[in-house]
């Protein structure tokens, strides 16, 4: 029996089952978060292009814009009740570009190129570390039974913070701290080597198991401190808009300085992870026998 002999509705259903839902059936609210994600990818890639054109301030600004857009798309999706598996996959793709590839290439064009192959290897290590960090994060989010500490701490430096940190040499360069330009061109290569070492360090922090305070714990801000906290945020944003590179440089250095204190607070509150929890953390789910044996040795 051909489609002409079928009722119109049946023919439409058969056709739709082969090619998926029609575009007109997708609500507009489902498209908005994905459009924000696409704009974030465009901003990150544009930042790379601007870096190759030696327009570094605009390049870094585009990378930061990409990070901002990438940070709000998930919240917009939850607010509009427009979350989807497609959006999750798009967001992961955007994260790798905006927090891994774009900062690495901008930093390479700005200074790491003077270290030649060593600079390129450092950029590769950072970009790959960002990808590994994001993959581990996705695995841990999908865990059925999450331990309590996962709601308060990240495992390793999160990818957005890594992008902020790895660009610190660029912020300092914008502020006139490019020491090599005053000492001589030969010294710039040594500065590039130091930047390469710093880049590898940030890549290591991304994939490390250092507990990093996430700021997501409930009850973190008392009710009486809510208004002062809002004023502090407003002041920070105002300073960021007026003294962008100074504030970003200070923020990056301050963030690095807080890492040991966050790890110490986690160790004091939770102690070490049992062996089976360590396996779960890395996404390797052991069987019940392994878990019982691990618990017996604790």
């Amino acid at each position: 029996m051909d489609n002409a002999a079928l009722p119109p509705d049946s023919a439409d259903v058969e056709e739709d089952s082969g090619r998926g839902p029609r575009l007109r059936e997708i609500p507009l609210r489902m498209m908005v978060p994905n459009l924000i994600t696409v704009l974030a990818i465009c901003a990150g890639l544009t930042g790379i292009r601007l870096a190759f054109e030696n327009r570094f301030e605009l390049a870094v600004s585009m990378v930061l814009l990409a990070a901002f857009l990438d940070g709000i798309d998930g919240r917009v999706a939850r607010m509009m009740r427009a979350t989807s598996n497609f959006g999750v996959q798009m967001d992961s793709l955007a994260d790798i570009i905006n927090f891994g590839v774009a900062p690495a290439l901008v930093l390479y064009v700005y200074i790491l190129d003077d270290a030649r192959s060593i600079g390129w290897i450092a950029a590769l290590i950072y970009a790959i570390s960002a990808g590994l960090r994001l993959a581990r994060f996705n695995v841990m989010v999908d865990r059925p039974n999450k331990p309590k500490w996962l709601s308060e701490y990240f495992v390793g430096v999160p990818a957005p913070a890594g992008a902020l940190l790895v660009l610190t040499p660029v912020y300092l360069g914008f502020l006139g701290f490019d020491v090599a330009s005053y000492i001589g061109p030969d010294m710039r290569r040594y500065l590039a080597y130091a930047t390469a070492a710093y880049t590898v360090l940030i890549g290591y922090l991304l994939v490390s198991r250092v507990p990093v305070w996430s700021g997501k714990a409930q009850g973190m801000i008392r009710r009486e401190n809510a208004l002062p906290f809002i004023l502090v945020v407003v002041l920070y944003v105002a300073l960021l808009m007026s003294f962008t590179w100074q504030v970003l440089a200070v923020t990056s250095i301050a963030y690095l300085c807080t890492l040991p204190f966050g790890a110490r607070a986690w160790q004091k509150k939770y102690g070490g992870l049992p062996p089976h929890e360590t396996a779960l953390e890395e996404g390797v789910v052991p069987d019940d026998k392994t878990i019982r044996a691990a618990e017996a040795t604790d």
Side-chain angles (χ1 to χ4, degrees), residues 180-245:
S181 62
Y182 300 101
I183 299 177
D186 294 337
M187 293 298 296
R188 183 174 173 83
R189 178 172 298 181
Y190 295 103
L191 182 62
Y193 289 144
T195 304
Y198 173 78
T199 304
V200 173
L201 172 63
I202 300 302
Y204 168 76
L205 291 176
L206 289 174
V207 299
S208 69
R209 296 180 58 229
V210 175
V212 178
W213 184 60
S214 66
K216 297 180 180 180
Q218 296 182 355
M220 182 184 64
I221 301 175
R222 301 176 66 88
R223 184 180 297 274
E224 59 269 19
N225 297 330
L227 291 180
F229 177 77
I230 293 175
L231 290 177
V232 170
V233 173
V234 171
L235 176 62
Y236 178 84
V237 174
L239 290 173
L240 181 64
M241 299 298 293
S242 302
F243 308 97
T244 303
W245 311 124

Side-chain angles (χ1 to χ4, degrees), residues 272-290:
L273 290 176
H276 67 277
E277 181 62 31
T278 302
L280 284 171
E281 175 196 334
E282 300 298 335
V284 181
V285 182
D287 53 24
D288 294 337
K289 182 179 179 181
T290 304

Side-chain angles (χ1 to χ4, degrees), residues 101-120:
V101 177
L105 289 180
V106 170
L107 186 62
Y108 176 78
V109 177
Y110 183 77
I111 182 64
L112 290 179
D113 185 34
D114 291 305
R116 304 302 179 185
S117 297
I118 293 178
W120 178 244

Side-chain angles (χ1 to χ4, degrees), residues 49-81:
R49 174 194 170 183
L50 292 171
F52 280 102
E53 295 176 353
N54 293 326
R55 300 159 68 183
F56 293 109
E57 292 195 8
L58 283 177
V60 175
S61 299
M62 293 303 294
V63 172
L64 296 176
L65 174 62
F68 172 76
L69 293 174
D70 194 86
I72 66 172
D73 58 356
R75 290 171 176 80
V76 170
R78 289 188 292 271
M79 222 169 30
M80 300 181 68
R81 296 182 181 179

Side-chain angles (χ1 to χ4, degrees), residues 131-152:
L132 294 174
R133 172 66 180 82
L134 291 164
R136 182 172 64 181
F137 175 79
N138 291 338
V139 170
M140 297 181 70
V141 166
D142 292 336
R143 287 179 51 178
N145 300 315
K146 300 183 182 66
K148 180 182 177 181
W149 59 267
L150 270 182
S151 62
E152 302 177 21

